[in-house]
Structures are given as structure tokens and as C-alpha cells.
Amino acid sequence: MIYPIVKFGDPVLEKTAAPVTVFDDDLKKLVDDMFESMYAAHGVGLAAPQIGISKRLAVIDVTFKEDPDAKLVLANPEIIHTEGRQSQNEGCLSIPEFREPVTRARKVTVRAQDLDGRFYEKTGEDLLARAFLHETDHLNGKLYISHLSALKRDLIKRKIRKLMKAGEW
């Protein structure tokens, strides 16, 4: 099932998501649906709050279906190590049409649980590191625009409010 992507302005995007506590077939189905929804929206990462579900759950595939082994499920992820810096244009499925340069760590290690509740650690660089940070931010109620200057963030919010008034958001 493809879920619609929740857009900026929905309160679920600005709340800390609840921990995943049950690892069952319903969770596996939700993860399958999240991958399907992410691919349909042409994304490389998707957090549960972006489909209106306040759970600490995210899926990532920086290869966009090219490498089935690259699909990652992160339940209750925590960033445990970062190093280096990189600045790249970043966007978000919940803030479509907007991309801005964001500086983040170049190398990131995340500790998370898999679909069976087993803990694992994974280190990623460049785009994968960015995806770990971006999706974990979502689970903490934070959007990538919070990493922008106040001026840039306000300009984007004003443009979005204008789109909302025009019924285009």
C-alpha cells in the first residue's frame, strides 16, 4: 500500500515519535508499505511520521532499488558517532520543491533495531550518512530546514504558507 506523504505544516512532523515496542507481522507490513511509498515518491529515505505514523521507524535505500542488499530498516535509531563535515543540497519528501545546502557529518554510525528487534550498528558515509541524520531528525520532530539560517528558513516557510493559501500545498 502506498501512503500519501505528510507535508510540512502537519503537527506529526514536529513531534518526537514513540519507540517501536512490538516487532511483529504488522511492523513488517508497515515497513514494506514504507519502502513502496518511498519509491513511489522517488525518495531514498522515509520516516514513519512522514506517512502520519508517530513511530521511531525509518527505511533507507540510497541505491533506489539498484541493490536489494542496500535496503535498511531502522527501528529506534540512535546516532552514536559522527565525524567530518560535508555540505550538499538536501531536500525532503515532506517539503517538496525545496532544496537547500545543508552541512552535516560526512561519516555517521547509527545503532538501531531490525525487523526482529535485534540491535545492530551500521556506519555510512556521504549520502548514507546524510540519510541516517535526516531520518533520525524526523523521528525527533526536526526537519532539515532547522539546519538552515533563520532567514532562509523563514523565506521557505513564507513560500509554503503562500502555497497553502492558494490551495497548492
Side-chain angles (χ1 to χ4, degrees), residues 1 3 7 10 13 15-16 18 26 30 42 51 60 62 73 77 80 84 97 101-102 104 120 132 159:
M1 172 182 163
Y3 284 86
K7 288 187 181 175
D10 190 307
L13 294 174
K15 285 193 313 197
T16 299
D26 288 343
L30 176 58
H42 305 287
I51 57 169
I60 295 173
V62 295
V73 175
I80 58 172
E97 312 297 318
V102 175
R104 294 195 184 260
Y120 71 95
F132 284 158
K159 287 178 184 174

Coordinates of all heavy atoms in Angstrom, one line a residue, residues 1 3 7 10 13 15-16 18 26 30 42 51 60 62 73 77 80 84 97 101-102 104 120 132 159:
M1 N 0.8 -1.2 0.0 CA 0.0 0.0 0.0 C 0.9 1.3 0.0 O 1.8 1.3 0.8 CB -0.9 0.0 1.3 CG -1.6 1.3 1.5 SD -2.6 1.2 3.0 CE -2.9 2.9 3.2
Y3 N 1.3 4.9 0.9 CA 0.7 6.0 1.8 C 1.0 7.4 1.2 O 2.1 7.6 0.6 CB 1.4 6.0 3.2 CG 1.0 4.9 4.1 CD1 1.6 3.6 4.1 CD2 0.0 5.2 5.1 CE1 1.2 2.6 4.9 CE2 -0.4 4.2 6.0 CZ 0.2 2.9 5.9 OH -0.1 1.9 6.8
K7 N 2.8 16.5 4.5 CA 3.6 17.7 4.2 C 3.9 18.6 5.4 O 3.1 18.5 6.4 CB 2.9 18.5 3.1 CG 3.0 17.8 1.7 CD 2.4 18.7 0.6 CE 2.5 18.0 -0.7 NZ 1.8 18.8 -1.7
D10 N 1.9 19.7 9.0 CA 1.2 18.7 9.8 C 2.0 18.5 11.1 O 3.2 18.3 11.1 CB 1.2 17.4 9.0 CG 0.3 16.3 9.7 OD1 0.4 16.1 10.9 OD2 -0.6 15.8 9.0
L13 N 4.9 15.9 12.1 CA 6.3 16.1 11.7 C 7.1 16.8 12.7 O 8.3 16.8 12.6 CB 6.3 16.8 10.3 CG 5.7 16.1 9.1 CD1 5.7 17.1 7.9 CD2 6.5 14.9 8.8
K15 N 6.7 16.4 16.2 CA 6.7 15.7 17.4 C 7.7 14.6 17.5 O 8.0 14.0 16.5 CB 5.3 15.0 17.6 CG 4.1 15.9 17.9 CD 2.9 15.2 18.4 CE 2.6 13.9 17.6 NZ 1.2 13.5 17.8
T16 N 8.2 14.3 18.7 CA 9.1 13.2 18.9 C 8.3 11.9 18.7 O 7.2 11.8 19.4 CB 9.8 13.3 20.3 OG1 10.5 14.5 20.3 CG2 10.7 12.1 20.5
A18 N 7.1 8.0 19.0 CA 7.1 6.9 20.0 C 8.0 5.8 19.6 O 8.1 5.4 18.5 CB 5.7 6.5 20.3
D26 N 2.7 -7.1 11.7 CA 2.1 -5.7 11.3 C 3.3 -4.7 11.1 O 3.2 -3.9 10.2 CB 1.3 -5.2 12.5 CG -0.1 -5.9 12.6 OD1 -0.5 -6.6 11.6 OD2 -0.7 -5.8 13.6
L30 N 4.1 -2.8 7.6 CA 4.3 -1.3 7.6 C 5.6 -1.0 6.9 O 5.7 0.0 6.1 CB 4.3 -0.7 9.0 CG 4.6 0.8 9.2 CD1 3.6 1.6 8.4 CD2 4.6 1.2 10.6
H42 N 9.9 8.8 -5.1 CA 11.2 9.0 -5.6 C 12.2 9.4 -4.5 O 13.0 10.3 -4.7 CB 11.3 9.9 -6.8 CG 10.4 9.4 -7.9 ND1 10.7 8.3 -8.7 CD2 9.1 9.8 -8.3 CE1 9.7 8.1 -9.5 NE2 8.8 9.0 -9.3
I51 N 4.5 9.6 6.9 CA 3.2 9.0 6.4 C 2.1 9.0 7.5 O 1.2 8.3 7.5 CB 3.4 7.5 5.9 CG1 4.0 6.6 6.9 CG2 4.2 7.5 4.6 CD1 4.0 5.1 6.6
I60 N 15.6 3.2 4.5 CA 16.5 3.9 3.7 C 17.0 3.0 2.6 O 17.2 1.8 2.8 CB 17.8 4.4 4.5 CG1 17.4 5.4 5.5 CG2 18.9 4.9 3.6 CD1 18.5 5.8 6.5
V62 N 19.7 4.1 -0.4 CA 20.3 5.2 -1.2 C 20.6 4.8 -2.6 O 21.0 5.6 -3.4 CB 21.6 5.7 -0.5 CG1 21.3 6.4 0.8 CG2 22.6 4.6 -0.2
V73 N 16.4 -1.0 7.4 CA 15.3 -0.7 8.3 C 15.9 -0.2 9.6 O 16.7 -0.9 10.2 CB 14.4 -1.9 8.5 CG1 13.3 -1.6 9.6 CG2 13.8 -2.4 7.2
P77 N 16.3 4.2 16.0 CA 17.7 4.5 15.8 C 18.3 5.6 16.7 O 17.6 6.5 17.1 CB 17.7 5.0 14.3 CG 16.4 5.6 14.1 CD 15.4 4.7 15.0
I80 N 25.3 7.3 17.1 CA 26.3 7.1 18.2 C 27.7 7.6 17.9 O 28.5 7.7 18.8 CB 26.4 5.6 18.6 CG1 26.8 4.7 17.4 CG2 25.1 5.1 19.2 CD1 27.1 3.2 17.7
G84 N 33.8 14.3 10.6 CA 33.9 15.1 9.3 C 32.7 16.0 9.0 O 31.8 16.0 9.8
E97 N 9.7 20.3 -3.6 CA 10.1 21.5 -4.4 C 11.2 22.4 -3.8 O 11.6 23.4 -4.4 CB 8.9 22.4 -4.7 CG 7.6 21.7 -5.2 CD 7.8 21.0 -6.5 OE1 8.5 21.5 -7.4 OE2 7.4 19.8 -6.7
P101 N 21.4 23.8 0.5 CA 22.6 23.3 1.0 C 22.6 23.1 2.6 O 22.2 24.1 3.3 CB 23.7 24.3 0.7 CG 23.1 25.3 -0.2 CD 21.6 25.2 -0.1
V102 N 22.9 21.9 3.1 CA 22.9 21.7 4.5 C 24.3 21.0 4.8 O 24.7 20.1 4.1 CB 21.8 20.7 4.9 CG1 21.8 20.3 6.4 CG2 20.4 21.4 4.6
R104 N 26.3 18.6 7.2 CA 26.2 17.5 8.1 C 27.5 16.7 8.2 O 28.4 17.0 7.4 CB 25.0 16.6 7.6 CG 23.6 17.2 7.6 CD 22.6 16.1 7.4 NE 21.3 16.5 7.3 CZ 20.4 16.5 8.3 NH1 20.7 16.2 9.5 NH2 19.1 16.9 8.1
Y120 N 21.7 -3.6 16.0 CA 22.8 -3.6 15.1 C 23.4 -2.2 14.9 O 22.7 -1.2 15.3 CB 22.4 -4.2 13.7 CG 21.6 -3.3 12.9 CD1 22.2 -2.4 11.9 CD2 20.2 -3.2 13.0 CE1 21.4 -1.5 11.2 CE2 19.4 -2.4 12.2 CZ 20.0 -1.5 11.3 OH 19.2 -0.7 10.6
F132 N 21.0 8.9 7.3 CA 20.9 8.5 8.7 C 20.5 9.7 9.6 O 19.6 9.7 10.4 CB 22.2 7.9 9.3 CG 22.5 6.5 8.9 CD1 23.8 6.1 8.9 CD2 21.6 5.6 8.5 CE1 24.2 4.8 8.5 CE2 21.9 4.3 8.1 CZ 23.2 3.9 8.1
K159 N 7.0 31.0 1.7 CA 6.6 30.5 0.4 C 5.6 29.3 0.6 O 4.6 29.2 -0.1 CB 7.8 30.0 -0.3 CG 8.7 31.1 -0.9 CD 9.9 30.5 -1.6 CE 10.8 31.6 -2.0 NZ 12.1 31.1 -2.6

